[in-house]
Amino acid sequence: MPVLLHRTSQDVMEELRACIGCNECLLVCPALVKPIKIEVLNVETFSGPISAPIARFARACYQCGACVAPCPVGLHRDAMMMWLKVRLLRSGRKE
Ligand code: SF4
Ligand code: SF4
């Protein structure tokens, strides 16, 4: 099982499944310029192609951690974003 920082792929998948889609994490994010759908972010964080808006957001995320405290179910969006960043890097996508 691949491990990224302190989170395994299983950890990230479990957090994505536990997400209730309330959007609180994105509301406080200083790096999000244009709104994105949390459902799309969750899907693309873990599998399949990464769309242009999600790729832009993944690059913009600077791991400040501000998205963690507002989550009503104790999830770690910053760790999910790190997972997405690595997926994006591995994809070789340039834009
Ligand atoms: S860690 Fe990334 S997603 Fe979370 S608030 Fe900071 S910039 Fe936004
Ligand atoms: S704040 Fe938590 S539950 Fe709400 S959308 Fe973000 S990760 Fe999901």
Side-chain angles (χ1 to χ4, degrees), residues 25-80:
C25 51
L26 297 187
L27 285 176
V28 301
C29 176
L32 184 60
V33 179
K34 289 186 180 170
I36 56 173
K37 287 190 177 4
I38 194 81
E39 300 83 5
V40 176
L41 178 62
N42 283 348
V43 168
E44 295 187 14
T45 293
F46 204 79
S47 61
I50 302 171
S51 61
I54 300 298
R56 274 195 294 275
F57 181 41
R59 289 192 187 95
C61 168
Y62 55 98
Q63 291 288 293
C64 67
C67 47
V68 176
C71 180
V73 286
L75 305 182
H76 301 83
R77 179 61 62 183
D78 57 345
M80 299 181 214

